[in-house]
Amino acid sequence: PLLGLGAERHGYRAPWRQHLALAAWSLLLVAQYAVTRLVCHLGVPPDCHLYEDDLQELHTFQVMLSLGFVLAVLTGVHIPERHGYLFRFRCPKPRGFVFLAVFLGSGPVFGSFDLVPFLEVLTLTPSGIGHTSVMLLIPLLVAGAALVLWHFVYAFKRYTIEGFLVYAGVRLAVWSFYGLYLFVAQFTRRGEYQLSFHLHHYVLAFMLALLAEFNHPLSLLLLAAGSGIFVQGLAAYGSLAGMDVRVAAPLHRAAGGI
């Protein structure tokens, strides 16, 4: 009685199409990685990370494929109905072409922002946020908040209360982990130096893309753009830390101290 329908004595069978869908998704992430590294050689963005050795690049692949797997599962990419919605290339409504265009194009487009002088100042580092950054951040934050709100409202209307709580709880758990990371970084000291933080955009893109599990055009676009920028951030800048913790300045010694 404890065995589910279709289960076997020593395990269960996962539909092979789910494994194939996850493999195809992983290859798509690798393709975006290759596109990003290619445009990096063309100077987009101009501050692309140069790997010191193959081990660093393998670590980036590990993070990309691991988080990419989480993203695929939480957005249902491995489910046949969902996969068929995202990657439909037949008429009518060949959504797959739109998904691929947005996914592969979002990375280079985002990277090219560093070539625009007034966009270059955009930063999430507290010490670097000035008047211009605030003016640029406000519309981005409003748009991001609207996307988040729309997905939660859509989930509330679509699911039972139990389904909505699971949907919201899983996303909030992931976000809380990165929030804890941020909190700890604020109070960490290394010797006589205090630390500042820089939140990598691949983390933000990943957290937003986690919302996009619905068969709806808006959710499709968010998944495509969010996952594309997620890979771009990893490929262009590496994955040594989701939050780049930097030495800011020496702490002040007490008067008369050594």
Side-chain angles (χ1 to χ4, degrees), residues 118-136:
F118 73 91
L119 292 178
E120 190 179 12
V121 301
L122 189 61
T123 178
L124 293 174
T125 305
S127 59
I129 295 180
H131 177 73
T132 305
S133 290
V134 170
M135 296 302 294
L136 293 173

Side-chain angles (χ1 to χ4, degrees), residues 205-225:
F206 170 73
M207 290 193 295
L208 283 176
L210 287 176
L211 296 168
E213 74 166 37
F214 304 112
N215 289 346
H216 186 282
L218 187 58
S219 200
L220 179 147
L221 292 175
L222 176 60
L223 179 61

Side-chain angles (χ1 to χ4, degrees), residues 13-235:
R13 297 177 184 174
W16 63 270
R17 288 184 177 83
Q18 293 189 15
H19 295 286
L20 189 61
L22 289 172
W25 176 256
S26 298
L27 290 176
L28 195 60
L29 299 180
V30 172
Q32 175 69 316
Y33 184 96
V35 169
T36 300
R37 294 309 299 179
L38 177 62
V39 298
C40 271
H41 288 293
L42 302 176
V44 180
D47 57 345
C48 265
H49 177 74
L50 297 177
Y51 293 102
E52 297 179 1
D53 50 51
D54 294 337
L55 191 59
Q56 284 189 357
E57 191 159 16
L58 284 175
H59 183 266
T60 297
F61 264 90
Q62 175 195 343
V63 173
M64 179 185 73
L65 294 176
S66 299
L67 292 181
F69 178 83
V70 173
L71 179 59
V73 171
L74 291 184
T75 56
V77 172
H78 63 300
I79 299 174
E81 294 80 7
R82 173 68 166 157
H83 191 270
Y85 177 86
L86 294 172
F87 300 103
R88 178 184 174 88
F89 295 100
R90 301 188 305 272
C91 291
K93 299 179 179 180
R95 292 175 291 264
F97 294 110
V98 176
F99 184 91
L100 290 180
V102 174
F103 175 79
L104 294 174
S106 57
V109 170
F110 188 90
S112 66
F113 288 169
D114 279 349
L115 302 176
V116 182
F118 73 91
L119 292 178
E120 190 179 12
V121 301
L122 189 61
T123 178
L124 293 174
T125 305
S127 59
I129 295 180
H131 177 73
T132 305
S133 290
V134 170
M135 296 302 294
L136 293 173
L137 279 173
I138 289 176
L140 290 177
L141 291 175
V142 170
L147 274 175
V148 171
L149 180 61
W150 183 90
H151 278 82
F152 277 113
V153 171
Y154 192 83
F156 183 78
K157 292 180 177 179
R158 179 183 176 88
Y159 293 145
T160 62
I161 187 63
E162 294 84 1
F164 171 75
L165 290 176
V166 170
Y167 172 86
V170 169
R171 275 79 187 169
L172 291 175
V174 175
W175 296 353
S176 297
F177 169 78
Y178 286 106
L180 177 62
Y181 198 160
L182 180 67
F183 178 79
V184 172
Q186 289 277 28
F187 295 97
T188 300
R189 298 287 183 268
R190 289 181 181 169
E192 62 175 1
Y193 291 92
Q194 62 184 8
L195 304 178
S196 66
F197 71 92
H198 174 77
L199 183 62
H200 281 284
H201 65 267
Y202 87 78
V203 175
L204 291 175
F206 170 73
M207 290 193 295
L208 283 176
L210 287 176
L211 296 168
E213 74 166 37
F214 304 112
N215 289 346
H216 186 282
L218 187 58
S219 200
L220 179 147
L221 292 175
L222 176 60
L223 179 61
S227 54
I229 295 173
F230 155 70
V231 175
Q232 187 272 344
L234 284 169

